[in-house]
């Protein structure tokens, strides 16, 4: 950094020369001496001094105080008054121009030196302060702008969310409507198919009974095929009717005695249980639970029925049924020691008409698990199967308790 530049504003030449010498000796660079206010302003503009030392009584139209005011207004240059006047009025006028010092002549060189150093230091500090304040103001403005942008973005997300929720609700309502229409259609078609199918089945039975023995072997086989196919179609229609009916009535949640439910389902399937030699392991202890009794009964009947169907040849089914609390809900499970399910097939078997076995191996319509899934979903629940081929399967149904939203089973 070079020497601090000082402008002297003094109309007495001798005083000015003396001052210049003293300042130079003190290590300052005197950039000029002005005898009038006008000359002082010109020199300030030309040299941009770091400090101006002003006498109050000078030549020209402006006195030192007016000149200091103009320097302050037009240029950022600190001033120090060097004057012989110390009267009240002069002092007050000088104060209004915010000088960095006011030295009464005659003054000591030490006094002048200290006043100049303090003025230079104070002025540079003020400059730094102004710069920091400006930076802070800019930063605050930036932050305010960022906050405004963030708030606008959040408001937009909220607006989008609201419109999304509304669209989802509309879409869901439409889907529910379409589903209802579809179920009504399935129901009426299945219903109307029953009468002609009964006729086909009845006549096929008569044909087999009366003529199959005398007819040629091919004709007898065809008759029995018709009978078998109409049987299969009858089962399919009955299952479809049940499926279509699952969602047609309102879901009624009530307290359920799970042990009681299991024994009623076991009684219903008593014939098949006896025929397959199956043993059922009922739940030893069940937590209190709520649900729709009809839907729960349909779920359990289908799962136990499947466990009785898909057992290993020569191995009687062993079926364990249980219920426990899980994730703010309850989980019901049916575990068997049957043929199991190949990896990757677990998810799709809950869809209607998805079968992993032929009718020859295992008769069925492919609707049972679709009924289970639909019934669980109507109660806000979820279905899951854990299985390994040849190692049995566990079907689980998670149902919320007092909370209608569906949760996944872990
Ligand atoms: P269905 O039993 O009438 O064919 P489901 O919808 O009940 O129809 O079952 C779909 C398919 O899932 C069945 O065809 C069978 O391949 C498989 N499956 C269902 N339950 C079991 C089980 N407990 N063990 C092995 N496979 C099963």
């Amino acid at each position: 950094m070079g020497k601090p530049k000082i402008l002297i504003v003094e109309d007495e030449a001798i005083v000015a020369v003396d001052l210049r010498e003293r300042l130079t000796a003190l290590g300052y660079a005197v950039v000029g001496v002005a005898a009038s206010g006008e000359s002082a302003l010109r020199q300030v503009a030309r040299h941009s001094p770091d400090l101006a030392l002003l006498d109050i009584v000078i030549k020209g139209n402006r006195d030192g105080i007016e000149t200091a005011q103009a320097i302050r207004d037009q240029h950022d240059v600190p001033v120090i008054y060097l004057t012989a006047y110390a009267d009240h009025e002069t002092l007050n006028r000088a104060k209004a121009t915010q000088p960095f010092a006011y030295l009464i002549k005659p003054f000591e060189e030490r006094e002048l030196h200290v006043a100049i150093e303090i003025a230079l230091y104070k002025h540079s500090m003020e400059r730094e302060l102004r710069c920091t304040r400006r930076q802070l103001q800019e930063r605050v403005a930036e932050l305010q702008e960022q906050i405004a942008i963030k708030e606008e973005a959040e408001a937009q997300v909220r607006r989008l969310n609201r419109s999304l929720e509304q669209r989802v609700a509309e879409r869901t309502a439409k889907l529910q409507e379409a589903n209802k229409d579809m179920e009504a259609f399935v129901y009426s078609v299945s219903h109307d198919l029953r009468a002609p199918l009964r006729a086909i089945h009845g006549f096929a039975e008569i044909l087999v009974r009366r003529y199959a023995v005398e007819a040629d072997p091919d004709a007898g086989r065809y008759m029995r095929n018709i009978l078998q196919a109409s049987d299969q179609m009858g089962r399919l229609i009955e299952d479809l009717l049940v499926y279509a009916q699952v969602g047609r009535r309102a879901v009624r949640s009530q307290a359920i005695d799970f042990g009681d439910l299991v024994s009623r389902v076991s009684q219903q399937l008593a014939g098949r249980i006896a025929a397959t030699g199956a043993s059922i392991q009922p739940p030893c202890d069940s937590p209190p639970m709520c649900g729709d009794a009809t839907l729960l009964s349909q779920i359990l009947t289908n799962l136990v029925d499947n466990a009785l169907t898909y057992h290993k040849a020569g191995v009687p089914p062993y079926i364990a049924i249980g219920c426990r609390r899980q994730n703010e809900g309850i989980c019901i499970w049916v575990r068997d020691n049957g043929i199991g399910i190949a990896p990757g097939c677990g998810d799709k078997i809950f869809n209607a008409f998805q079968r992993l076995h032929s009718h020859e191996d295992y008769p069925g319509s492919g609707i049972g698990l679709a009924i289970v899934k639909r019934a669980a979903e109507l109660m806000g629940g979820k279905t899951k199967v854990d299985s390994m081929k040849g190692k049995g399967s566990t079907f689980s149904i998670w149902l919320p308790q007092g909370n209608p939203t569906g949760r996944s089973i872990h």
Side-chain angles (χ1 to χ4, degrees):
M1 218 178 101
K3 293 176 180 176
K5 293 186 285 179
I6 296 182
L7 174 72
I8 299 170
V9 185
E10 172 62 70
D11 61 348
E12 280 187 47
I14 298 202
V15 177
V17 168
D18 174 53
L19 204 50
R20 178 195 278 272
E21 278 173 11
R22 285 210 254 170
L23 290 172
T24 311
L26 287 170
Y28 301 112
V30 176
V31 289
V33 175
S36 69
E38 289 69 29
S39 160
L41 281 169
R42 273 197 307 277
Q43 295 204 48
V44 167
R46 192 177 327 133
H47 301 299
S48 302
D50 298 309
L51 179 79
L53 296 177
L54 285 106
D55 190 3
I56 289 182
V57 180
I58 50 173
K59 287 185 186 148
N61 297 332
R62 303 171 194 251
D63 70 357
I65 294 175
E66 285 163 341
T67 307
Q69 185 65 57
I71 290 175
R72 210 177 101 71
D73 292 346
Q74 294 163 27
H75 311 275
D76 181 26
V77 175
V79 297
I80 292 178
Y81 291 112
L82 309 175
T83 177
Y85 296 91
D87 61 286
H88 199 61
E89 194 199 327
T90 311
L91 213 59
N92 273 347
R93 280 184 61 222
K95 254 188 345 197
T97 61
Q98 297 177 3
F100 279 74
Y102 193 100
L103 298 182
I104 312 281
K105 291 175 184 171
F107 46 78
E108 294 283 319
E109 190 176 298
R110 257 173 73 80
E111 274 179 84
L112 178 65
H113 192 192
V114 170
I116 292 174
E117 282 304 305
I118 286 185
L120 289 173
Y121 176 73
K122 251 180 94 184
H123 186 248
S124 85
M125 282 298 109
E126 274 181 12
R127 225 182 228 165
E128 244 174 65
L129 211 68
R130 276 201 301 273
C131 178
T132 311
R133 189 177 302 149
R134 206 175 32 249
Q135 282 171 349
L136 272 175
Q137 280 167 347
E138 280 167 14
R139 188 80 194 107
V140 166
E142 255 171 51
L143 282 174
Q144 279 170 341
E145 199 178 323
Q146 281 169 9
I147 289 170
I149 292 172
K150 195 168 158 259
E151 280 174 354
E152 172 53 28
E154 281 171 1
Q156 202 166 345
V157 167
R158 278 197 296 277
R159 280 197 296 276
L160 277 174
N161 266 350
R162 270 198 300 276
S163 98
L164 207 67
E165 275 166 19
Q166 194 181 336
R167 269 160 50 200
V168 167
E170 283 168 11
R171 194 72 54 85
T172 309
K174 272 190 193 150
L175 274 175
Q176 280 170 343
E177 189 72 12
N179 229 2
K180 271 212 170 97
D181 288 352
M182 203 266 289
E183 279 166 8
F185 174 76
V186 170
Y187 183 79
S188 68
V189 169
S190 312
H191 191 266
D192 294 352
L193 281 176
R194 275 209 291 202
L197 186 66
R198 226 176 274 133
I200 295 171
H201 191 265
F203 286 119
E205 251 180 354
I206 296 170
L207 276 177
V208 170
R209 206 167 48 240
R210 291 199 195 158
Y211 306 108
V213 184
E214 296 132 48
D216 81 38
D218 277 350
R221 191 154 41 82
Y222 296 153
M223 287 174 208
R224 274 187 291 275
N225 282 353
I226 294 172
L227 197 59
Q228 217 174 21
S230 67
D231 257 346
Q232 201 177 310
M233 196 163 167
R235 204 166 34 237
L236 183 64
I237 286 173
E238 290 309 321
D239 285 353
L240 271 175
L241 277 170
V242 174
Y243 179 73
Q245 245 166 348
V246 171
R248 281 163 73 92
R249 47 174 280 281
V251 177
R252 279 185 293 271
S253 189
Q254 62 187 83
I256 301 286
D257 181 334
F258 189 65
D260 190 46
L261 183 74
V262 172
S263 57
R264 270 188 286 124
V265 169
S266 304
Q267 269 163 26
Q268 256 175 48
L269 296 170
R272 296 206 57 218
I273 292 171
T276 51
S279 37
I280 306 274
Q281 164 81 60
C284 9
D285 190 22
S286 311
M289 61 175 279
C290 286
D292 182 294
T294 310
L295 295 176
L296 280 169
S297 167
Q298 277 171 321
I299 288 175
L300 220 52
T301 308
N302 277 291
L303 293 181
V304 176
D305 192 52
N306 279 352
L308 291 169
T309 305
Y310 301 101
H311 68 91
K312 289 185 220 162
V315 180
Y318 175 80
I319 305 167
I321 304 170
C323 171
R324 66 166 181 274
R325 270 185 245 276
Q326 194 181 57
N327 296 344
E328 293 162 43
I330 52 140
C331 179
I332 294 168
W333 76 90
V334 175
R335 183 175 304 134
D336 64 46
N337 61 340
I339 56 175
I341 293 164
C345 298
D347 284 341
K348 62 180 184 188
I349 56 171
F350 286 98
N351 295 333
F353 308 118
Q354 289 292 337
R355 305 200 73 235
L356 305 178
H357 305 96
S358 69
H359 285 285
E360 285 71 40
D361 293 337
Y362 296 95
S365 62
I367 308 267
L369 289 180
I371 292 174
V372 170
K373 184 171 180 234
R374 183 102 176 84
E377 284 174 353
L378 281 168
M379 290 185 281
K382 302 233 171 186
T383 51
K384 182 186 168 198
V385 60
D386 294 295
S387 183
M388 267 172 77
K389 203 164 170 59
K391 301 267 187 215
S393 313
T394 303
F395 286 83
S396 319
I397 315 295
W398 179 86
L399 296 172
Q401 294 292 288
N403 170 6
T405 53
R407 300 279 173 98
S408 56
I409 306 170
H410 303 295

